[in-house]
Amino acid sequence: DSLTTSNSVAYAEAKKIGIKSAYRDLFLDNKDDEEEIKANILKLANLALANPASIPIGICHPRSKTAKALKEMIPELAKLGVGIKKVSEVVK
């Protein structure tokens, strides 16, 4: 569930009927600004580091600045001990 509206019920309804589901913790690119996207990637990494038992989910648009920011942040994330996974790997 992208939680793009505060009235979203997708996650709860999917759980009710037994569909694997999850919801996002952070939207990475509300603004198409590379520095802000990088800052949001770090926020997501810090969520992961603060609670190692959980895997926070970030979602984004298929934009060139987003792809560039993600690619550039991979080495920094690795230094922090954080990686990127497909949503399909973490949805329960």
Side-chain angles (χ1 to χ4, degrees):
D1 189 344
S2 66
L3 302 176
T4 53
T5 174
S6 60
N7 298 321
S8 180
V9 297
Y11 176 76
E13 292 301 312
K15 282 296 188 190
K16 277 185 195 176
I17 59 174
I19 296 174
K20 290 181 180 181
S21 55
Y23 55 88
R24 62 113 177 131
D25 293 285
L26 189 62
F27 211 108
L28 300 177
D29 61 352
N30 277 328
K31 293 183 184 175
D32 193 22
D33 176 271
E34 192 174 332
E35 292 308 310
E36 185 167 324
I37 296 165
K38 287 179 179 181
N40 285 333
I41 293 167
L42 283 177
K43 284 181 190 176
L44 195 64
N46 285 323
L47 285 174
L49 293 168
N51 188 357
S54 73
I55 300 174
I57 296 174
I59 63 171
C60 56
H61 297 95
R63 297 177 176 159
S64 59
K65 288 180 184 176
T66 304
K68 186 173 186 253
L70 284 165
K71 183 177 179 181
E72 289 177 5
M73 291 300 292
I74 288 172
E76 189 166 344
L77 293 174
K79 287 178 189 174
L80 294 171
V82 176
I84 297 174
K85 292 184 175 224
K86 297 178 198 174
V87 171
S88 61
E89 294 178 288
V90 298
V91 172
K92 299 175 184 173

